[in-house]
Amino acid sequence: MTRLLSLAHLTAITLPPPDLIHAAADVGFDAVGLRLIRVTDASPGYPLMDDPAMMRATKAALKDTGLKVHDIEFVKIEPDTDVKSLIPFLDAGVELGAREVITAPYDPDLNRLADRLGQLSDLAQERGLNVSFEFFPWTVVPDLTSALALVERAGPEVGILVDSLHFNRSGSTLEQLRAIPRDRLRFAHLCDAPVMPSYTTDDLLFAGRAERLAPGEGAIPLHDFVGALPDDLPLGLEVPMTGLLEAEGPRAVFQRVMDATQKILAS
């Protein structure tokens, strides 16, 4: 069964959305994920909700290439997050035709985090969008088990986004992955990386944000990971390779990622 393959913006975060879309189309991706909210001081975001000219250029690129926007990202749910302030972001996702909104845990109060996540999901559902929650090993929701518990508290529509890197480095298991209800698991992120006995927080952040490997080029058991997913589950390729991007440019990176992904899926 053919899977939808989407290119996550972090793979080449320095590319504005129209350029990302054209480059992704050139190597055969079906869709892209777009980062509309800046996440760190060292990486950009592209707030199309506040930039009509860039929004028009992005929609023109989508029309020219036939690509879709699979997801928009990402909402760091923090102690002072005002969920209603995110309505323009959600409306931009609707205008782009996105399916999913990616969220992440940055509030140590798990009750408040679940409440805000549920509120955001309600606003998204009113607009025909889904919300998926991504866990990171360096946060208060570090693994798949705690992520599932949180989304169950947040509400029936909230999904889980499982990234192969964070899944592997959190000690989560394939049995846990297979047990996620299908309506909670709407897509996954795929990449590869070295596997070590333990990781510092700096190790986790460096791989998470700057340097990963194309599928099959590292030591994460990706055949097992993909095999535990539903056959039709969309995959977002999130493979930042900052050094290669600077040396060879985005199309070389995207082609390497696409070729490696097709090899993994074929085998």
Side-chain angles (χ1 to χ4, degrees), residues 23-241:
D26 286 347
V27 301
F29 281 96
D30 305 304
V32 295
L34 295 180
R35 180 163 291 186
L36 305 191
I37 297 176
R38 186 171 188 165
V39 175
T40 72
D41 291 339
S43 63
Y46 301 90
L48 301 185
M49 52 281 190
D50 301 322
D51 189 341
M54 181 68 79
M55 175 64 88
R56 287 193 297 271
T58 300
K59 291 169 67 176
L62 294 170
K63 183 176 180 180
D64 290 345
T65 61
L67 261 64
K68 305 295 184 183
V69 174
H70 179 267
D71 52 83
I72 56 172
E73 62 170 9
F74 72 72
V75 177
K76 295 171 68 174
I77 300 181
E78 299 175 298
D80 60 351
T81 295
D82 176 5
V83 174
K84 289 186 177 179
S85 72
L86 295 165
I87 288 175
F89 163 76
L90 297 175
D91 289 343
V94 173
E95 188 171 352
L96 292 164
R99 302 181 186 181
E100 295 282 340
V101 175
I102 300 176
T103 62
Y106 286 86
D107 186 344
D109 184 329
L110 294 181
N111 289 325
R112 185 171 57 203
L113 177 60
D115 287 344
R116 295 253 174 86
L117 184 58
Q119 292 168 22
L120 180 62
S121 176
D122 290 344
L123 288 175
Q125 288 287 317
E126 291 171 3
R127 291 160 172 77
L129 293 166
N130 294 310
V131 166
S132 283
F133 176 82
E134 185 171 14
F135 64 90
F136 303 128
W138 62 86
T139 67
V140 294
V141 186
D143 54 31
L144 186 53
T145 296
S146 56
L148 181 57
L150 186 81
V151 302
E152 287 174 342
R153 290 166 63 183
E157 307 294 342
V158 183
I160 295 177
L161 169 56
V162 182
D163 184 300
S164 57
L165 176 74
H166 307 314
F167 174 84
N168 179 262
R169 295 191 171 189
S170 68
S172 300
T173 69
L174 294 171
E175 289 74 18
Q176 293 165 349
L177 181 57
R178 293 189 189 100
I180 297 176
R182 183 64 176 85
D183 58 351
R184 295 278 188 186
L185 185 65
R186 293 187 290 266
F187 72 114
H189 274 167
L190 193 66
C191 70
D192 213 336
V195 173
M196 297 180 285
S198 63
Y199 307 92
T200 66
T201 299
D202 285 345
D203 291 335
L204 296 171
L205 290 171
F206 182 69
R209 296 173 177 174
E211 288 291 348
R212 307 187 192 183
L213 295 172
E217 295 182 2
I220 297 174
L222 290 182
H223 289 98
D224 294 338
F225 177 81
V226 173
L229 301 173
D231 290 343
D232 61 344
L233 195 76
L235 294 176
L237 280 299
E238 188 170 70
V239 194
M241 294 188 284

